[in-house]
Amino acid sequence: MSFINTITQIYYRLLQRLHTSGIAALLAIISLVGFSSVSVANDAPAIAAAANIQFAVDEIAIRFQQKTGLAVRISYGSSGNFVTQIQHGAPFEMMLSADESYIDKLHQAGYTQDSGVIYAIGRLALAAPKKSPLILDANLVGLRQLIDDGKLSRFAIANPDHAPYGESAREVLKAKGLWDMLQPTLILGENAAQATQFTISGSTQGGIVPLSLVLTPAFAKRGNYVVIPDSLYQPLNQQMALMPNASETTERFYQYMQSAEAQEVLTQFGFNLPQPTVKKGA
């Protein structure tokens, strides 16, 4: 059994144990977390990608396959966990990180061909289930009020220790003087996608999650959101790089991620683009 298939089985077993609120909830989690929904052969090259770009990259992968006849196999998770897996021999040929630091770490240790390129700039949203008492506003005034009223019991973000979007969520909360106040209520997702599921599951009053994961019809049916000002956190420069073992198919996908077609999809899912998109030096 391959490394990736083994990880997949373990991951889904954990999800089933952690979320026992019914088949509907489990299906919602699977739709937000895990491996690409694009059907591909097992021998397609493996690519590691940050969970926050799943919907955008699934669409990009479909367009890439339609255009070239080539397929890639994408797994989604936290950038920090992927770094650990790659350092321990996971056979990924490319990584799309949620920020610059993880690619830089891999590059300095000799696990990438070069220092890669920034392919998108991520953004944050404050989100909540439709029946939540949390009043959504860009400056988090409603969140503070809910805390002051003693009505906030659970609030979700990605784990800031290994998920860049969790780190940025913590930065926002600290900027607004809410981090310490929220400690007793924080629910940490293993990655940004899991934090998004926690946010709209009904078990929390809300959370800070990637904008890219709330710009979908599925989310609109279950929750509401407001965009958090970019000025409240450092830019989430999402960087990608090829591994030394990258195949020709992976190299072509890497180039396609920088194409106008791919960038159009990224902007549809709320990402900003680097201006201009320039490859960083090796």
Side-chain angles (χ1 to χ4, degrees), residues 93-95 103 112 114-117 239-243 254:
E93 298 186 10
M94 174 180 170
M95 179 173 168
I103 295 296
T112 65
D114 56 26
S115 59
V117 296
Q239 192 160 318
M240 63 180 179
L242 292 167
M243 309 302 144
Y254 181 77

Side-chain angles (χ1 to χ4, degrees), residues 11 15 18-19 33 188-199:
Y11 192 60
L15 285 178
L18 287 170
H19 305 281
V33 187
L188 301 180
E190 181 67 13
N191 52 55
Q194 192 177 69
T196 304
Q197 171 58 27
F198 290 161
T199 297

